Amino acid sequence: MHHFLDIHKTDAQALRQIIDKAREMKGARAGRTRGAPDDDLPLAGRMVALIFEKPSTRTRVSFDVGVRQMGGQTMTLSGAEMQLGHGETIADTARVLSRYVDLVMIRTFDESVLTEMAEYADVPVINGLTDRTHPCQIMADVMTYEEHRGPIAGRKVVWSGDGNNVCSSFLHAAAQFGFDFTFTGPAQLDPEAEFVGLARDAGCKVTIERDPFKAVEGADLVVTDTWVSMHDSQSTKERRHNMLRGYQVNESLMAHAKPDALFMHCLPAHREDEATSAVMDGPHSVIWDEAENRLHAQKAIMRWCLGV
């Protein structure tokens, strides 16, 4: 049994096996209808609990569809239904769920909820997102880059904007997959120093560059994410827009990257804020492949967790 909690907590060889399996499974589905089952049905007879304390579109649909394609069944639970940590401890919830299901995916706020669930569960637990990291997304991003441009090792990845949870998982991936990482954004929104240090200790070149045009010079991949959360107040949204306006990914910025550089955004996007429609729908963009690959990467993660 394996938990999938964060990229830096998973062996680099296992991460490579997951990416390879994801590409294999995606290729095997070529030409099939979306609802058609996989040939081998590795999750037949398995029940997967999908827990959402945070709302979701891509995570919910991709995990649900992935389980069904592999022959399993899902049970989707909201935070309101479960009230994790209120009335019943997370540890007790984990023990109970382990008697009913074969695998737990949880999308939550506080990282401690995820780690406590994993500590006390007798079944694998997958991090569907926390306020601190988003490893499933970055596995899909690595897969997407390599589909289009080959191995990501040794490449230059540039993150423009807010050093948020997705940015954190990119730093973890830099350490495990061996690519260079540049962050460009305001100092108030720098990525966590711990994660910057982790990547540097692994031998990765990690650069903090305030000038976005200088940052993207020689970039193989430019990535951004939304500037605001759905939970932010109007005053917070305005303040963050003022801080981040100079880090918008637009055609002018992409022109300073390599001619064949790719653009990614994990979605949902606020068009004309963190990225322009001209970039999102332009020749550098692979955002729709990136979104699809959440399905394939997560299927491979589930198989690795269950050893099937």
Side-chain angles (χ1 to χ4, degrees):
M1 183 189 80
H2 301 287
H3 298 306
F4 188 78
L5 304 182
D6 272 314
I7 288 174
H8 67 301
K9 296 177 181 177
T10 307
D11 181 75
Q13 184 177 0
L15 294 171
R16 174 50 58 192
Q17 291 171 350
I18 290 168
I19 296 289
D20 292 345
K21 176 57 74 172
R23 295 187 66 176
E24 176 190 325
M25 295 178 74
K26 181 178 182 179
R29 291 193 60 82
R32 297 190 182 200
T33 58
R34 300 291 184 258
D38 292 349
D39 287 332
D40 52 351
L41 300 180
L43 264 60
R46 307 270 187 160
M47 177 64 72
V48 178
L50 307 177
I51 302 173
F52 293 94
E53 286 201 292
K54 276 192 170 186
S56 167
T57 298
R58 272 150 295 278
T59 300
R60 179 167 182 163
V61 174
S62 56
F63 266 106
D64 198 339
V65 170
V67 172
R68 292 167 188 259
Q69 286 181 352
M70 293 190 291
Q73 298 183 64
T74 60
M75 175 185 299
T76 303
L77 301 164
S78 71
E81 290 170 323
M82 300 193 69
Q83 296 187 322
L84 281 172
H86 301 284
E88 180 177 64
T89 66
I90 295 164
D92 287 352
T93 299
R95 293 182 179 106
V96 170
L97 285 175
S98 297
R99 300 297 180 101
Y100 300 144
V101 304
D102 301 286
L103 177 68
V104 174
M105 188 288 302
I106 182 167
R107 181 179 173 95
T108 187
F109 294 91
D110 195 327
E111 183 183 54
S112 66
V113 175
L114 169 75
T115 54
E116 188 171 351
M117 179 73 70
E119 181 180 355
Y120 291 96
D122 294 327
V123 298
V125 174
I126 294 174
N127 177 0
L129 175 142
T130 70
D131 284 345
R132 204 173 183 210
T133 60
H134 196 0
C136 290
Q137 179 64 56
I138 274 49
M139 292 296 284
D141 291 356
V142 171
M143 176 183 174
T144 304
Y145 183 86
E146 295 192 339
E147 279 184 334
H148 287 267
R149 296 289 185 266
I152 197 168
R155 304 289 188 162
K156 179 180 178 179
V157 175
V158 177
W159 180 278
S160 183
D162 178 8
N164 63 8
N165 53 355
V166 186
C167 179
S168 293
S169 287
F170 252 116
L171 280 163
H172 296 163
Q176 297 291 62
F177 289 97
F179 55 84
D180 295 335
F181 188 86
T182 297
F183 171 82
T184 186
Q188 304 96 310
L189 300 176
D190 275 354
E192 286 194 41
E194 176 187 338
F195 297 153
V196 171
L198 184 150
R200 286 175 173 163
D201 288 346
C204 298
K205 181 181 178 182
V206 179
T207 304
I208 307 293
E209 173 56 63
R210 302 299 172 205
D211 182 342
F213 293 95
K214 185 176 180 181
V216 301
E217 290 176 1
D220 297 286
L221 171 62
V222 179
V223 193
T224 192
D225 194 5
T226 182
W227 292 344
V228 296
S229 166
M230 65 184 72
H231 308 289
D232 288 340
S233 66
Q234 186 59 39
S235 61
T236 298
K237 290 177 181 179
E238 290 174 1
R239 185 172 66 254
R240 289 175 67 84
H241 272 84
N242 290 335
M243 280 195 295
L244 288 160
R245 191 168 288 116
Y247 296 96
Q248 181 190 69
V249 181
N250 49 41
E251 289 178 295
S252 177
L253 187 67
M254 289 301 299
H256 285 72
K258 285 185 178 178
D260 65 344
L262 299 180
F263 168 75
M264 291 187 192
H265 188 309
C266 67
L267 304 176
H270 296 84
R271 287 173 178 260
E272 312 311 326
D273 284 348
E274 66 269 13
T276 61
S277 291
V279 170
M280 292 180 65
D281 300 325
H284 298 284
S285 177
V286 290
I287 60 175
W288 310 120
D289 292 338
E290 180 186 7
E292 178 189 344
N293 284 341
R294 284 289 301 277
L295 169 67
H296 308 297
Q298 288 162 184
K299 287 170 69 175
I301 290 167
M302 288 188 280
R303 292 190 68 160
W304 176 76
C305 286
L306 291 167
V308 296

